Amino acid sequence: MADVVALGEVLIDFTSLPSDGYPVFEANPGGAPCNVLSAVCRLGHTGAILGKVGMDSFGILLKETLDRVGVDTSWLAMTPDYFTTLAFVSLDKQGDRSFTFSRKHSADIMLDVEDVSDALLQQARIFQCGTLSLTHEKSRRATLYALQKARSYGLLISVDPNLRENLWPDALAARNAMFLVMEYADILKISDYEVSFLYPDVDCETACTLIKQTCPFLKLLIVTKGRDGASLFFQDTWYSSPSFLEVETIDTTGAGDAFCGAVLAFLLDRKGGVESLDESSCRELLLFANAAASLSTTRRGAIEAMPSRSEVLGLLSSH
């Protein structure tokens, strides 16, 4: 049994390294769903991935990496017909990143309904997904099937839109996909940029009120703001927390996923889950997730950059 089942892209992030000549890239295993699961596992819980990789050196590297961090790969499909998806990550001087994808006819968009295990979902507590798997028809069907099954089995559904505009034909298609997945969400972790992408003409707080009106199951809404920390909206009350700026940031890839994984781990730690939150625990949740996200930026890559519980608690105690 896995506490958290995540569905979606499993890929290699080629992260740029300092170079005096032509660009040099380091192959780092990643993909938002895997990053979230790695964070969940590093923080003491269990996770399983529903995804597809090529039966090539990168696919093997991804499986071995996920196995090493404790993510269950029993349902990770490996295909000889398609190549593992690649993402090239460029970093600026602050460690912030931009993405270029090699994804046409790649393995992650070939995930199919047949690859979704009902038995795995039935035994889980939380289902996690984003919107990248909605860019192509086959993986879109698989995602919606899994969301419908997760809802019918009573799982807590966590959504992080993880917007990548260059993977969509236009902004309208991206917005529609985001709203489609968000309609299933009990928990929504969304960046301030994504909020403004959905509602460009209103302030963030008003936009979040509009988001709540379009998400019938939404219990917990969290807006991440990079170096400015995060805000949480629960039972008509806003809570905010800053980032831990004392850490030395070198790569922000996967920071939002570390935050999301820490939120899920925090809720799994509590017997009552989301419903048991109060003012004190909402503030604790934000601090815990911000600490995890900040620590993840001190290492390159994503899956293996996720901090352990002792590291998170150490940063919290020294703050």
Side-chain angles (χ1 to χ4, degrees):
M1 173 181 170
D3 293 320
V4 182
V5 174
L7 179 148
E9 66 277 9
V10 187
L11 50 79
I12 298 293
D13 286 320
F14 278 93
T15 309
S16 61
L17 299 178
S19 172
D20 293 330
Y22 291 113
V24 175
F25 292 88
E26 178 181 69
N28 289 300
C34 299
N35 301 340
V36 171
L37 291 175
S38 176
V40 167
C41 292
R42 292 278 285 162
L43 294 170
H45 297 281
T46 57
I49 183 68
L50 288 169
K52 184 169 283 189
V53 296
M55 201 172 288
D56 48 49
S57 59
F58 293 127
I60 293 168
L61 173 61
L62 281 159
K63 185 180 186 308
E64 289 176 346
T65 302
L66 289 168
D67 288 338
R68 187 162 57 247
V69 299
V71 175
D72 189 343
T73 60
S74 301
W75 294 269
L76 177 64
M78 302 187 73
T79 173
D81 299 323
Y82 303 99
F83 198 68
T84 299
T85 304
L86 308 178
F88 293 85
V89 188
S90 298
L91 303 175
D92 63 19
K93 292 180 180 179
Q94 286 73 45
D96 292 322
R97 72 280 188 273
S98 59
F99 292 87
T100 302
F101 288 88
S102 175
R103 198 176 180 231
K104 291 182 179 179
H105 309 297
S106 290
D108 85 286
I109 63 176
M110 297 300 169
L111 184 72
D112 207 346
V113 171
E114 297 171 355
D115 300 311
V116 178
S117 168
D118 284 19
L120 176 65
L121 290 172
Q122 279 183 300
Q123 297 176 20
R125 296 171 64 184
I126 299 174
F127 177 71
Q128 168 77 31
C129 73
T131 61
L132 267 67
S133 54
L134 269 67
T135 58
H136 292 74
E137 187 56 35
K138 187 173 285 190
S139 55
R140 182 188 185 94
R141 287 197 305 267
T143 305
L144 295 177
Y145 175 83
L147 281 165
Q148 291 159 8
K149 287 294 183 180
R151 176 58 60 203
S152 69
Y153 296 145
L155 274 66
L156 196 67
I157 296 177
S158 170
V159 170
D160 177 358
N162 197 30
L163 174 65
R164 299 288 179 260
E165 289 182 67
N166 58 344
L167 292 179
W168 295 95
D170 52 51
L172 179 60
R175 287 192 182 95
N176 287 342
M178 291 171 72
F179 280 122
L180 179 59
V181 176
M182 286 160 50
E183 286 180 9
Y184 290 89
D186 296 293
I187 303 166
L188 175 62
K189 197 286 291 180
I190 188 168
S191 71
D192 53 354
Y193 172 76
E194 290 164 340
V195 171
S196 64
F197 178 80
L198 292 175
Y199 293 100
D201 300 322
V202 299
D203 63 84
C204 185
E205 191 164 333
T206 301
C208 288
T209 300
L210 294 172
I211 287 172
K212 280 185 66 68
Q213 292 172 357
T214 65
C215 302
F217 301 104
L218 193 60
K219 301 180 179 72
L220 187 63
L221 171 59
I222 302 173
V223 181
T224 53
K225 305 173 183 179
R227 292 175 59 84
D228 294 326
S231 295
L232 181 155
F233 191 54
F234 179 69
Q235 292 184 346
D236 300 322
T237 303
W238 276 102
Y239 305 91
S240 294
S241 174
S243 293
F244 291 75
L245 298 179
E246 63 266 35
V247 304
E248 184 180 353
T249 293
I250 61 172
D251 182 1
T252 60
T253 306
D257 304 324
F259 187 103
C260 188
V263 168
L264 300 186
F266 186 94
L267 294 174
L268 287 166
D269 288 340
R270 300 178 65 84
K271 290 183 179 179
V274 176
E275 285 77 11
S276 70
L277 293 175
D278 54 19
E279 178 179 351
S280 175
S281 54
C282 282
R283 298 189 187 282
E284 288 177 22
L285 184 156
L286 278 176
L287 282 171
F288 186 78
N290 270 323
S294 297
L295 285 167
S296 75
T297 71
T298 64
R299 304 157 183 155
R300 287 198 303 273
I303 290 178
E304 294 191 290
M306 299 299 152
S308 66
R309 182 176 291 270
S310 62
E311 289 175 314
V312 174
L313 295 178
L315 179 58
L316 288 171
S317 66
S318 66
H319 189 259

